[in-house]
């Protein structure tokens, strides 16, 4: 059955041009199946994850794609979750490391990682539908200051609005359908859809900021806050970009290795004698960092 599905699908480029979103999901699914059967599991993760994002974002696309493809795609993604891929190992490792930290340290760890996405967010914000990504720097500053004193009503609502905008971005063809991207000096263009890896960087930012808003509400009402989110800590790895543009071994990509070192360095930093001034200094440096620079 699935060989028949694959033979009937159009190319991703044709589907993007014609805004055939169900066809685009099928094309990515086909690429994922081919990669999985060839034993190229990172690329299988990339393409099957893209197919899943597209048909999950739109009910009409979901119905048009059909249960057979969706069930098989979900089964394959479930199988990939059991493999020792970087996509799986790093978030799991971060969770284990977070067990030795206090909640406040984990939240600062996440903020440090978010700061490294500020420059990329600014560059992506010129693309259709991606304007909200220009506000990541403001969000970092606002979260940091709210660790020390309660935010204003405008700041609180601004963070909430940003969360809503990031969630809506993930459901939009501007994110997953049009192939929009930015130039990378010395490298291949970066597509906004390259944020899809690691559970979706935009969604991990949304989850981190929502968790912080819940913390602020809990503190104002003298309630126990929920556990901090750790997903954003691996958000700046961007494995989908490197897999899509030709990397065979993610662990050997210089940018991946550099980001893994920053994650580890931040952990050591959090285990040292911290001051808010030191955290602010590190955040300011990260906000200026172009994580795609060659």
């Amino acid at each position: 059955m699935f060989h028949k599905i694959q033979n009937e699908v159009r190319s991703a480029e044709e589907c993007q041009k014609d805004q055939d979103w169900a066809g685009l999901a099928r094309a990515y699914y086909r690429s994922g199946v081919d990669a999985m059967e060839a034993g190229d599991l990172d690329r299988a993760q990339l393409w099957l994850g893209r197919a899943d994002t597209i048909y999950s974002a739109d009910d009409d696309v979901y119905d048009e794609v059909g249960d057979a493809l969706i069930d098989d795609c979900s089964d394959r993604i479930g199988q990939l979750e059991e493999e020792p891929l970087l996509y799986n190992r790093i978030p799991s490792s971060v969770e284990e490391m977070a067990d030795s930290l206090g909640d406040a340290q984990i939240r600062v760890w996440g903020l440090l990682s978010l700061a490294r996405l500020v420059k990329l967010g600014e560059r992506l914000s010129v693309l259709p539908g991606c304007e909200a990504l220009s506000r990541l720097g403001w969000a970092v500053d606002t979260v940091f200051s709210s660790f020390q004193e309660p935010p204003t009503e405008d700041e609180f609502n601004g963070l909430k609005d940003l969360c809503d905008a990031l969630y809506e971005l993930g459901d939009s063809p501007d994110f997953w359908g049009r192939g929009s991207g930015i130039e990378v000096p010395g490298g291949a263009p970066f597509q906004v859809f390259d944020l899809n890896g690691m559970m979706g960087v935009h969604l991990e930012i949304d989850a981190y900021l929502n968790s912080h808003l819940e913390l602020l509400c809990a503190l104002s009402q003298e309630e126990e806050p929920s556990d901090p989110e750790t997903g954003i800590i691996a958000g700046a790895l961007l494995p989908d970009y490197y897999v899509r543009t030709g990397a065979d071994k993610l662990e050997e990509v210089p940018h991946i290795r550099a980001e893994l070192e920053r994650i580890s360095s931040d952990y050591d930093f959090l285990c040292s004698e911290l001051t808010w001034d030191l955290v602010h200094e590190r955040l300011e440096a990260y906000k200026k960092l172009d994580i795609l620079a060659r």
Side-chain angles (χ1 to χ4, degrees), residues 23-45:
L24 185 60
R26 294 189 193 99
Y28 286 145
Y29 164 79
R30 178 189 60 189
S31 295
V33 170
D34 289 346
M36 196 166 183
E37 292 183 350
D40 190 346
L41 301 188
D42 283 332
R43 285 183 175 78
Q45 178 70 47

Side-chain angles (χ1 to χ4, degrees), residues 27-28 55 71 91-92 103 110 135 189 208 238 266:
Y28 286 145
Y55 63 65
D71 289 347
S92 177
D103 282 8
R135 302 177 64 197
Y208 176 82
L238 308 175
D266 286 347

Side-chain angles (χ1 to χ4, degrees), residues 3-114:
H3 290 296
K4 181 178 179 182
I5 290 173
Q6 293 183 69
N7 290 335
E8 290 175 350
V9 299
R10 308 164 69 204
S11 72
E13 292 76 12
E14 290 174 324
C15 295
Q16 286 174 333
K17 180 180 178 181
D18 296 339
Q19 298 187 23
D20 175 9
W21 307 137
L24 185 60
R26 294 189 193 99
Y28 286 145
Y29 164 79
R30 178 189 60 189
S31 295
V33 170
D34 289 346
M36 196 166 183
E37 292 183 350
D40 190 346
L41 301 188
D42 283 332
R43 285 183 175 78
Q45 178 70 47
L46 165 71
W47 300 121
L48 294 173
R50 288 195 170 198
D52 177 77
T53 292
I54 294 171
Y55 63 65
S56 298
D58 188 297
D59 290 341
D60 291 336
V61 174
Y62 189 97
D63 292 339
E64 187 174 347
V65 167
D67 290 340
L69 184 152
I70 290 169
D71 289 347
D72 187 66
C73 188
S74 297
D75 288 345
R76 290 177 181 274
I77 290 173
Q79 294 172 38
L80 290 171
E81 289 174 350
E82 302 301 319
E83 297 290 337
L85 306 179
L86 179 140
Y87 284 92
N88 303 325
R89 289 189 293 102
I90 302 306
S92 177
S93 175
V94 164
E95 288 184 7
E96 291 178 6
M97 295 167 72
D99 286 341
S100 65
L101 299 176
D103 282 8
Q105 291 170 300
I106 297 171
R107 294 179 193 278
V108 172
W109 197 8
L111 189 63
L112 292 167
S113 294
L114 176 56

Side-chain angles (χ1 to χ4, degrees), residues 113-135:
S113 294
L114 176 56
R116 294 197 290 276
L117 293 165
V118 166
K119 184 66 68 174
L120 177 60
E122 291 173 352
R123 296 183 61 201
L124 289 172
S125 68
V126 303
L127 301 177
C130 297
E131 295 84 1
L133 295 173
S134 68
R135 302 177 64 197

Side-chain angles (χ1 to χ4, degrees), residues 48-244:
L48 294 173
R50 288 195 170 198
D52 177 77
T53 292
I54 294 171
Y55 63 65
S56 298
D58 188 297
D59 290 341
D60 291 336
V61 174
Y62 189 97
D63 292 339
E64 187 174 347
V65 167
D67 290 340
L69 184 152
I70 290 169
D71 289 347
D72 187 66
C73 188
S74 297
D75 288 345
R76 290 177 181 274
I77 290 173
Q79 294 172 38
L80 290 171
E81 289 174 350
E82 302 301 319
E83 297 290 337
L85 306 179
L86 179 140
Y87 284 92
N88 303 325
R89 289 189 293 102
I90 302 306
S92 177
S93 175
V94 164
E95 288 184 7
E96 291 178 6
M97 295 167 72
D99 286 341
S100 65
L101 299 176
D103 282 8
Q105 291 170 300
I106 297 171
R107 294 179 193 278
V108 172
W109 197 8
L111 189 63
L112 292 167
S113 294
L114 176 56
R116 294 197 290 276
L117 293 165
V118 166
K119 184 66 68 174
L120 177 60
E122 291 173 352
R123 296 183 61 201
L124 289 172
S125 68
V126 303
L127 301 177
C130 297
E131 295 84 1
L133 295 173
S134 68
R135 302 177 64 197
L136 298 185
W138 171 84
V140 169
D141 293 342
T142 303
V143 170
F144 174 72
S145 64
S146 70
F147 279 126
Q148 301 165 78
E149 59 183 30
T152 66
E153 183 177 353
D154 285 345
E155 288 172 336
F156 185 94
N157 289 334
L159 289 174
K160 186 175 183 301
D161 290 344
L162 178 55
C163 288
D164 292 342
L166 291 171
Y167 187 84
E168 291 171 4
L169 173 62
D171 286 340
S172 170
D174 287 330
F175 177 72
W176 46 257
R178 308 190 195 284
S180 300
I182 55 173
E183 294 300 316
V184 176
F190 184 96
Q191 296 178 355
V192 65
F193 205 4
D194 289 328
L195 296 177
N196 196 58
M198 312 299 284
M199 304 301 292
V201 177
H202 57 301
L203 295 179
E204 294 294 5
I205 297 172
D206 173 25
Y208 176 82
L209 295 178
N210 259 313
S211 176
H212 189 70
L213 292 174
E214 291 173 359
L215 169 68
L216 295 173
C217 289
L219 292 176
S220 69
Q221 299 171 23
E222 298 184 353
E223 296 177 352
E224 189 71 21
S226 58
D227 292 337
E229 294 286 334
T230 62
I232 188 58
I233 294 169
L237 285 169
L238 308 175
D240 273 18
Y241 171 64
Y242 298 106
V243 173
R244 182 182 62 80

